[in-house]
Amino acid sequence: MAFDFILRNARLANGAATGVTVDIAVAGGRIAAIERRVSGDGETVDARGRFVSPGLVESHFHLDKSRILDRVAPLADRRATDHMKRTSAIKHTFTVEDVYARASATLEQCVLNGVTHMRTHVEVDPNVGLRGYEAIERLTKDYAWAIDLQPCVFLQEGWTSVAGAEANVVAALKRGARVVGGAPRYDVDGPGQIERIFALAKELDVDVDIHGDGGFTTHDMMIWQICDLTDRLGWGGRVAIGHGNKYSCLPLAALEALGRRLAGSGVAVTVLPATDLYTSGRHLEHSVIRGVADANALIAQGANCSIATNNVLNPFTPYGDSSLVRIANLYANIVQRGTVEDLSECFAMLTDRPARILRKRDYGIAIGNPADLIVWNANSPAEVVATVAQPLMGFKRGRRIFTRELPDLHRPS
């Protein structure tokens, strides 16, 4: 039989401990066979016994406001908390071409780090309008060869009292965005914004992904309202909340109860370690809280969670190389998770779990699924996270999209 190509000697997650390898044959951009040894014609690529995973999934990113530190540099005051205000002050300078240029540079970094699927939040506040969304529309088409982009449109700076703001959200949803979000923390009526988000989701049959529960108080968490509305609308499996800093301040029993409620309602949590760590605890001068929720504890109660990058090189997170694996390693350090089982779960929060949040029904290494494959310089999912392993090759729908050469030591003769 003729195949497009065969990836030989691939070590899958279930063969990490035994060292068993398989061949993965691809035809028409999809996985056609997974066997110990595939017979057939076609280009052959040797994985050399390395771990092979499906492409990584970024479930919460902000392409439109990446790489803006040249316009709004970080403040020297460590306790400053005006990240949103300072970003808002320069959003009027965003043009379609400007957003496209910055976002494409960031997107290419993500691809080179193994990402083949992404949900990117796009701000459509009146001071930027639909310019950011138009740029993301173009990126979605221009980079379809390497990555699937799923825009989530939202208002960062307020909804219920901002004249004309909702019209931008509705316009983007009617142009094709399939996810609606929000930032109720910055609204004069946060609960009212959440109600409106779910009403729009029901009316236009779109998913929900809300920035929520940032901060350190736990008596005022919005997650309960979000779960109630999810139950009422029957939107389980279609709702996510990003950040959840407050959950890091819950005692274990309360955190476990939250995990059970999330599981029952079908609401997922995306933890954003770099941003959450950078922005948390700024009211404290010592013993500063981490502000990063323990997603492993929520998963243990049946909830679905993911780990994502959020921001790169802007006031909310003034660093980043678009390595999602590095973010997972940071997360594991913060929440002190180091067993093989814990680190394997961390890798799942970059792959299978966020794929469920994006509702990718044909995701993963299985016959018939798109051949989105990453070859790692590691032997297992846990090792990828523990060592911040580099991806050596990437394939999107069976076509190679990047190759990374390993550095070579030159020993003296």
Side-chain angles (χ1 to χ4, degrees):
M1 181 174 180
F3 298 105
D4 296 341
F5 84 94
I6 303 170
L7 182 61
R8 297 201 183 275
N9 301 312
R11 187 180 308 209
L12 303 184
N14 58 9
T18 63
V20 172
T21 63
V22 298
D23 294 346
I24 304 171
V26 176
R30 294 185 176 269
I31 298 171
I34 305 172
E35 300 172 11
R36 287 293 299 273
R37 186 67 181 177
V38 170
S39 297
D41 299 326
E43 177 191 0
T44 296
V45 180
D46 193 353
R48 299 184 179 180
R50 293 186 174 97
F51 171 54
V52 176
S53 79
L56 302 186
V57 182
E58 273 280 13
S59 54
H60 189 121
F61 210 96
H62 290 267
L63 285 173
D64 60 334
K65 61 183 181 186
S66 68
R67 300 172 182 266
I68 55 173
L69 289 182
D70 58 332
R71 297 176 224 184
V72 53
L75 294 177
D77 181 6
R78 184 195 68 76
R79 301 178 72 181
T81 59
D82 60 347
H83 323 290
M84 193 273 285
K85 182 179 179 181
R86 292 168 59 239
T87 303
S88 173
I90 57 100
K91 277 163 59 175
H92 70 281
T93 68
F94 291 6
T95 65
V96 175
E97 293 72 21
D98 161 55
V99 174
Y100 185 94
R102 291 185 287 102
S104 61
T106 302
L107 192 62
E108 288 179 12
Q109 269 196 322
C110 292
V111 170
L112 289 170
N113 280 297
V115 176
T116 61
H117 302 273
M118 176 187 288
R119 173 177 289 177
T120 183
H121 292 251
V122 187
E123 298 179 18
V124 293
D125 299 278
N127 56 359
V128 70
L130 294 177
R131 297 191 296 275
Y133 183 73
E134 183 177 334
I136 299 303
E137 277 185 321
R138 285 173 49 187
L139 280 169
T140 301
K141 296 175 183 176
D142 292 350
Y143 283 85
W145 58 272
I147 188 167
D148 294 329
L149 280 181
Q150 183 186 88
C152 170
V153 291
F154 82 113
L155 298 169
Q156 172 77 70
E157 302 166 24
W159 185 322
T160 55
S161 63
V162 181
E166 182 173 310
N168 290 340
V169 176
V170 173
L173 291 171
K174 289 186 175 180
R175 281 172 65 159
R178 302 306 305 154
V179 190
V180 60
R185 183 181 185 183
Y186 301 110
D187 202 307
V188 295
D189 181 7
Q193 181 181 135
I194 295 171
E195 289 275 356
R196 187 59 191 142
I197 289 168
F198 274 87
L200 269 181
K202 182 70 172 179
E203 177 186 343
L204 299 175
D205 190 24
V206 296
D207 294 353
V208 172
D209 196 336
I210 297 175
H211 292 67
D213 284 339
F216 55 92
T217 58
T218 58
H219 67 279
D220 54 352
M221 299 194 311
M222 66 180 69
I223 191 61
W224 309 120
Q225 181 190 11
I226 290 171
C227 286
D228 286 345
L229 286 166
T230 302
D231 294 341
R232 189 188 312 164
L233 267 65
W235 237 241
R238 302 185 65 176
V239 178
I241 183 169
H243 292 287
N245 309 63
K246 293 174 185 277
Y247 313 152
S248 69
C249 300
L250 292 171
L252 181 58
L255 184 65
E256 291 175 341
L258 172 62
R260 291 190 291 273
R261 179 63 191 278
L262 291 167
S265 296
V267 175
V269 170
T270 299
V271 179
L272 309 169
T275 303
D276 293 347
L277 186 64
Y278 181 72
T279 59
S280 292
R282 288 176 172 254
H283 62 296
L284 300 169
E285 64 177 23
H286 68 283
S287 299
V288 179
I289 62 176
R290 297 183 178 105
V292 177
D294 186 348
N296 290 68
L298 297 173
I299 288 171
Q301 301 303 314
N304 188 29
C305 297
S306 65
I307 299 168
T309 298
N310 193 40
N311 287 303
V312 171
L313 301 175
N314 71 24
F316 295 88
T317 321
Y319 29 63
D321 62 356
S322 303
S323 169
L324 187 52
V325 168
R326 193 184 308 282
I327 296 294
N329 177 278
L330 174 66
Y331 161 84
N333 274 273
I334 296 165
V335 300
Q336 301 170 332
R337 296 282 183 172
T339 68
V340 169
E341 293 74 19
D342 284 341
L343 294 177
S344 297
E345 192 66 83
C346 289
F347 192 79
M349 284 191 271
L350 313 180
T351 51
D352 302 286
R353 289 187 171 280
R356 285 164 50 188
I357 293 175
L358 272 62
R359 296 206 291 150
K360 296 286 183 180
R361 294 186 175 87
D362 57 357
Y363 177 86
I365 301 178
I367 293 174
N369 283 354
D372 296 349
L373 306 169
I374 305 296
V375 180
W376 297 93
N377 187 31
N379 292 321
S380 69
E383 186 181 347
V384 170
V385 176
T387 66
V388 193
Q390 294 286 297
L392 301 180
M393 285 182 278
F395 302 85
K396 182 66 177 173
R397 289 184 288 274
R399 296 180 59 186
R400 193 184 305 212
I401 54 175
F402 72 86
T403 302
R404 176 182 279 105
E405 298 295 333
L406 290 172
D408 187 21
L409 282 173
H410 292 272
R411 299 182 183 277
S413 56

